[in-house]
Amino acid sequence: MRALLTAFLFLTLTGKALSQEITVLTKEVSVREVPHGEIVEVIDKGGKLPLTAVLNYWGMTERGWVNLDFTDFTFPLFKETGEINLKVGTVVEPTGELKEGDVIYIYKEKGGKVLGVYKNQLVEVPLDKLEVRKVQAQIVVSNFPIKLRDEQGNEREVKGGTPLLKSSEGFFYDSHLWSSYREVKKEEAVSKEILLKRINRLIDIFNSVKLSSPLSERIGYYLKTLPVKSEDLTLIKTPYGIGAYLKLKYRLTTRDGEPIKGRKSRFILKKSNYEFWRRLTNEVFKEGINKFLEIDIYRFDGEDSFEPVGFVASSYHEFKEGELANYDSFLENSESNISEDAWFFADQVYERLEDGN
């Protein structure tokens, strides 16, 4: 029995995965040594990498691990990791705690009984209660959630990453024979109109805070976040979730509400802006976006239009696991690249005021 269980574990861990491909959806994505680990390189939007394994929302590539929330990808429902020959007994007549369809992995037969494994426990069952046969089964791992069903109509949901035994009869899982399966997919719907209302509400609050800050009172202007219009928000639906691209435009504005002309807009107080992007990201994820949010940042160019200065992209699963709960974790777990020319720190502003500039 120990040899049987050891062989099963070894084949599960050492099997070769089927290679598929990921495509980067955000401006950039980090490739890491391990999930949440050190960054080894950055791949630009549209870049492709072979995908060899999935662990929760992380994908393993030949270069390292990538957060799959930032990518589009194809991957088989099942990953074959090996084969194993078994002798099994399927319960055809209930006995004790065993019900029809339950499976015993047989170790040996003796005196009209079988000795075997049922739900990781050694059991002894009358031979006449079982249908005994030899089975050649594939050891597979479900990459995504599935729902199993037996011939009696019972169902069991299985999480992604779960090992199963697959034969011509169906699946052996949790010491039971399941005859069919289906992938579990949740229907997703996101209201763009509601998203815009939530986003603009936060923008109004943030602008009010900026307007009333001691710094804006002293210098007479603040960096205003302009209201978001429908064309500034783009939703993208993939087989494994909905992502969003959001354009945020910034312009220096006087305390009286007049846009300042002839000057490029710059961000003052870096931390407060990141904190706003963090809160906005959390709000968007609460409203149904369940893959990524990329905030594309534009500033007034000093002439008559807006120019891009960078982006911040965050993962839904990082949000779900509480990794976007504060400023530090948001910075650590989000993808971002913002031009140094976009920042204008508060101490520099005070220095210019003191100099009369």
Side-chain angles (χ1 to χ4, degrees):
M1 180 180 66
R2 285 184 180 178
L4 174 67
L5 296 177
T6 301
F8 177 80
L9 179 61
F10 176 78
L11 288 169
T12 299
L13 294 178
T14 62
K16 186 177 181 181
L18 297 174
S19 178
Q20 302 292 317
E21 189 174 65
I22 65 171
T23 302
V24 178
L25 295 176
T26 51
K27 285 274 195 304
E28 297 172 0
V29 71
S30 299
V31 181
R32 300 175 183 269
E33 289 182 339
V34 295
H36 300 289
E38 292 294 322
I39 297 172
V40 295
E41 68 175 303
V42 173
I43 306 295
D44 292 335
K45 184 175 182 178
K48 299 180 184 294
L49 288 175
L51 177 63
T52 57
V54 173
L55 177 63
N56 296 322
Y57 58 94
W58 290 90
M60 185 174 72
T61 75
E62 59 186 9
R63 301 186 192 179
W65 290 85
V66 172
N67 185 329
L68 293 176
D69 280 350
F70 299 122
T71 73
D72 193 10
F73 64 96
T74 59
F75 209 70
L77 184 56
F78 296 105
K79 177 178 64 180
E80 183 181 344
T81 63
E83 290 185 348
I84 190 169
N85 293 316
L86 298 170
K87 191 173 185 180
V88 301
T90 302
V91 177
V92 294
E93 184 180 337
T95 175
E97 295 182 359
L98 301 176
K99 59 185 182 298
E100 187 177 352
D102 283 345
V103 174
I104 309 298
Y105 301 107
I106 296 174
Y107 178 51
K108 66 178 180 179
E109 298 179 31
K110 184 177 180 180
K113 294 185 177 181
V114 300
L115 185 66
V117 177
Y118 173 74
K119 293 189 175 182
N120 296 322
Q121 298 294 323
L122 187 63
V123 295
E124 197 174 66
V125 183
L127 185 59
D128 60 3
K129 304 292 185 182
L130 305 172
E131 177 190 340
V132 177
R133 64 211 179 278
K134 292 182 179 179
V135 173
Q136 184 180 57
Q138 296 174 325
I139 302 170
V140 299
V141 176
S142 61
N143 286 314
F144 308 102
I146 61 172
K147 184 163 283 188
L148 300 170
R149 184 181 177 88
D150 66 14
E151 293 183 349
Q152 291 74 45
N154 301 306
E155 292 187 331
R156 174 73 63 84
E157 187 164 327
V158 177
K159 295 180 179 180
T162 302
L164 309 160
L165 293 177
K166 180 183 179 183
S167 75
S168 58
E169 304 172 47
F171 293 87
F172 297 103
Y173 171 69
D174 196 26
S175 294
H176 194 80
L177 177 60
W178 306 90
S179 56
S180 62
Y181 73 93
R182 62 181 175 86
E183 186 176 359
V184 177
K185 284 190 175 182
K186 297 179 180 178
E187 289 298 320
E188 299 155 343
V190 175
S191 170
K192 187 174 180 180
E193 183 180 353
I194 292 176
L195 270 178
L196 287 169
K197 288 181 179 178
R198 297 286 188 270
I199 291 168
N200 282 319
R201 175 180 172 274
L202 280 177
I203 288 174
D204 287 343
I205 294 171
F206 186 63
N207 282 335
S208 296
V209 172
K210 287 276 186 162
L211 177 63
S212 60
S213 70
L215 186 60
S216 71
E217 288 182 2
R218 183 166 184 181
I219 63 179
Y221 61 85
Y222 69 105
L223 186 63
K224 182 177 181 179
T225 310
L226 302 186
V228 172
K229 300 177 182 179
S230 181
E231 59 266 27
D232 297 325
L233 178 64
T234 303
L235 305 184
I236 177 173
K237 190 170 185 179
T238 76
Y240 302 106
I242 300 174
Y245 303 97
L246 175 65
K247 289 183 179 179
L248 285 187
K249 297 176 181 177
Y250 289 86
R251 185 163 186 175
L252 291 173
T253 305
T254 68
R255 290 177 53 79
D256 295 328
E258 290 296 321
I260 295 178
K261 300 178 181 180
R263 286 184 59 187
K264 286 186 176 183
S265 299
R266 288 175 127 184
F267 297 105
I268 303 172
L269 298 177
K270 184 174 182 178
K271 184 170 182 177
S272 66
N273 284 286
Y274 270 103
E275 180 60 21
F276 168 62
W277 296 330
R278 183 189 74 82
R279 295 192 181 204
L280 186 122
T281 297
N282 288 355
E283 187 72 20
V284 168
F285 286 147
K286 289 176 184 177
E287 289 300 325
I289 296 299
N290 61 355
K291 193 163 175 65
F292 70 86
L293 172 66
E294 176 181 296
I295 299 174
D296 296 314
I297 300 160
Y298 290 75
R299 68 166 177 193
F300 184 65
D301 65 2
E303 297 178 359
D304 57 2
S305 62
F306 291 81
E307 61 183 3
V309 291
F311 80 100
V312 179
S314 303
S315 153
Y316 169 75
H317 284 92
E318 300 279 13
F319 159 75
K320 193 175 179 181
E321 293 189 354
E323 299 294 344
L324 308 182
N326 57 56
Y327 171 79
D328 291 328
S329 61
F330 179 76
L331 278 181
E332 182 178 349
N333 292 292
S334 295
E335 304 283 343
S336 66
N337 189 350
I338 299 175
S339 169
E340 287 296 322
D341 180 57
W343 299 107
F344 198 62
F345 296 100
D347 56 351
Q348 295 173 299
V349 175
Y350 284 124
E351 286 175 9
R352 292 192 177 193
L353 286 173
E354 294 298 332
D355 292 339
N357 295 324

